[in-house]
Amino acid sequence: MTPTRRHLLLAACAAPLAGLLGCTEAGSATVLAPVEIDPATTCDLDGMLLADYPGPKAQIHYVGSAPPVFCCDTREMFATLLAPEQVKPVRAVFVQDMAKADWEQPRGHWFDARAGFYVGGSKRRGSMGPTYASFAVEADARTFAAQYGGKVLRFAEVRVDMADLTGGTTQDAKM
């Protein structure tokens, strides 16, 4: 049978579909969504109930682990991710956009932490004292810094020495 124009058109349309059907789970790129905290969600580092404390929270999704690791605040997230002993591959990291979330009881408004802007050194305190206020939009971070003080940084600008956790327990009156 000689291929007709119709056969060639069908083959051309089917080729991209065949490539999609051939994807394996290991090769497919699934979009990972953040998990919302609830009254029972705890910090993986110290067991604190996240809902009981102010300031931005974070969640780290590791390769090969279904539930995320929750952090009390963004300083803890940076300390975890930047620690020299951190070798687990990370799938995604989410923080809360504090231009939209209530500082005292933050819920929702999660975004990709690596794309964010952070204000360090402000007067606002998180669950463990000083923290990095997280923002999805640079203008919101600058507005926050103008009101509460601090310096605006990109994710990659925060260094391990800037995420020291040693003072947190001495500053937390609720622990």
Side-chain angles (χ1 to χ4, degrees):
M1 179 174 144
T2 307
T4 65
R5 183 177 166 168
R6 183 175 184 197
H7 288 122
L8 292 173
L9 280 172
L10 285 173
C13 290
L17 292 175
L20 288 175
L21 293 173
C23 286
T24 63
E25 188 168 319
S28 66
T30 55
V31 176
L32 192 61
V35 176
E36 188 51 66
I37 61 173
D38 62 39
T41 305
T42 59
C43 171
D44 284 62
L45 182 65
D46 56 23
M48 292 170 54
L49 291 170
L50 298 184
D52 290 351
Y53 297 91
K57 309 297 183 257
Q59 54 185 280
I60 304 169
H61 296 255
Y62 290 105
V63 172
S65 179
V69 169
F70 284 98
C71 299
C72 295
D73 64 20
T74 52
R75 181 176 295 270
E76 183 178 292
M77 171 200 69
F78 282 118
T80 300
L81 293 174
L82 298 174
E85 64 272 12
Q86 167 61 5
V87 294
K88 291 163 69 175
V90 175
R91 287 185 63 200
V93 183
F94 297 103
V95 292
Q96 294 172 301
D97 186 351
M98 298 314 290
K100 297 176 181 175
D102 175 8
W103 189 274
E104 295 304 318
Q105 295 183 325
R107 299 290 185 277
H109 306 289
W110 298 97
F111 71 95
D112 179 353
R114 294 174 180 146
F117 298 87
Y118 299 86
V119 179
S122 80
K123 293 184 269 186
R124 298 297 310 254
R125 297 292 179 243
S127 62
M128 297 296 285
T131 193
Y132 287 92
S134 48
F135 297 92
V137 177
E138 183 177 10
D140 293 333
R142 296 209 178 280
T143 299
F144 180 90
Q147 183 174 0
Y148 298 105
K151 181 179 178 181
V152 177
L153 301 164
R154 295 297 313 244
F155 183 91
E157 293 177 307
V158 179
R159 299 180 318 271
V160 69
D161 61 306
M162 299 163 70
D164 181 32
L165 295 176
T166 57
T169 56
T170 61
Q171 297 176 35
D172 182 20
K174 293 183 180 182
M175 263 183 74

